Amino acid sequence: PGTLTIMVGEMDNERFDVAFTGGSTGSSYGRLLHGYLISDNAQKEMVPGIASDWEISPDGLTTTFTIREGVKWHDGSDLTVDDVLWTLQHQMGPEAQNHVVASDLLVLSGDMDHIELAGPNQVSVVTTQPHLELLNIMSEVSGQWFHMMPAREELYNEAVEIAYDQNPIGAGPMSFVEHVPADHMSFERFEDFYYQPAN
């Protein structure tokens, strides 16, 4: 009672940062651990997630996300706009080409002008050409799992990345318990997961 076991055919390379996976193949566990800027509902429509709102500029080059207040990381700390800024710069900013392996992120990074704070609780993603699929890729509607992570001092540090894989912290519905490589991963319900409307 209270235990759900999910068997999956693969766990990719068993990394917990999408930047270092195939992008979609880790979704079986990445979707449990991590929170998305844009969520979905039973009809597979995009609805607010960590971002309470978003808008696209008339020229299609700037997408601005308003970050929800009250979202918690699994360690109990607050998710902030700085976490979102760092995550987006780490995953798809211009410098991400130097370290990411996920093909969709490499494409986005190559077309990225910059990512910046746009207000006290807003982050803007500015591309060099319109990316009509950007919101879909970043949402739970997609088969991808482009998630948010706690900010770090550097955009990329191999030792810190390896340490994160040992004890990953997310903002999704399940928190990390245990990982035995090539065998299993265990998670438990995160009681402070931010509320998502069902319709």
Side-chain angles (χ1 to χ4, degrees), residues 91-150:
Q91 291 180 351
M92 63 182 69
E95 295 180 39
Q97 295 179 76
N98 300 323
H99 59 262
V100 301
V101 300
S103 58
D104 285 343
L105 290 178
L106 282 170
V107 170
L108 287 171
S109 177
D111 290 335
M112 199 62 59
D113 185 274
H114 65 279
I115 301 171
E116 64 182 2
L117 293 176
N121 63 340
Q122 292 183 315
V123 175
S124 288
V125 174
V126 184
T127 55
T128 58
Q129 60 181 327
H131 272 273
L132 301 179
E133 76 284 7
L134 180 64
L135 290 177
N136 181 70
I137 288 174
M138 297 174 70
S139 76
E140 286 186 285
V141 173
S142 168
Q144 312 296 342
W145 56 296
F146 297 142
H147 53 83
M148 296 298 102
M149 298 172 62

Side-chain angles (χ1 to χ4, degrees), residues 161-181:
E161 286 291 342
I162 292 172
Y164 180 78
D165 283 335
Q166 304 304 311
N167 186 30
I169 295 173
M174 306 290 281
S175 61
F176 176 81
V177 174
E178 180 186 43
H179 175 207
V180 177

Side-chain angles (χ1 to χ4, degrees), residues 145-194:
W145 56 296
F146 297 142
H147 53 83
M148 296 298 102
M149 298 172 62
R152 303 176 190 157
E153 292 184 6
E154 302 173 83
L155 283 183
Y156 175 68
N157 180 302
E158 184 176 3
V160 175
E161 286 291 342
I162 292 172
Y164 180 78
D165 283 335
Q166 304 304 311
N167 186 30
I169 295 173
M174 306 290 281
S175 61
F176 176 81
V177 174
E178 180 186 43
H179 175 207
V180 177
D183 188 74
H184 72 272
M185 297 179 183
S186 298
F187 303 88
E188 64 184 8
R189 178 188 173 103
F190 180 51
E191 299 296 340
D192 287 331
F193 180 60
Y194 60 90

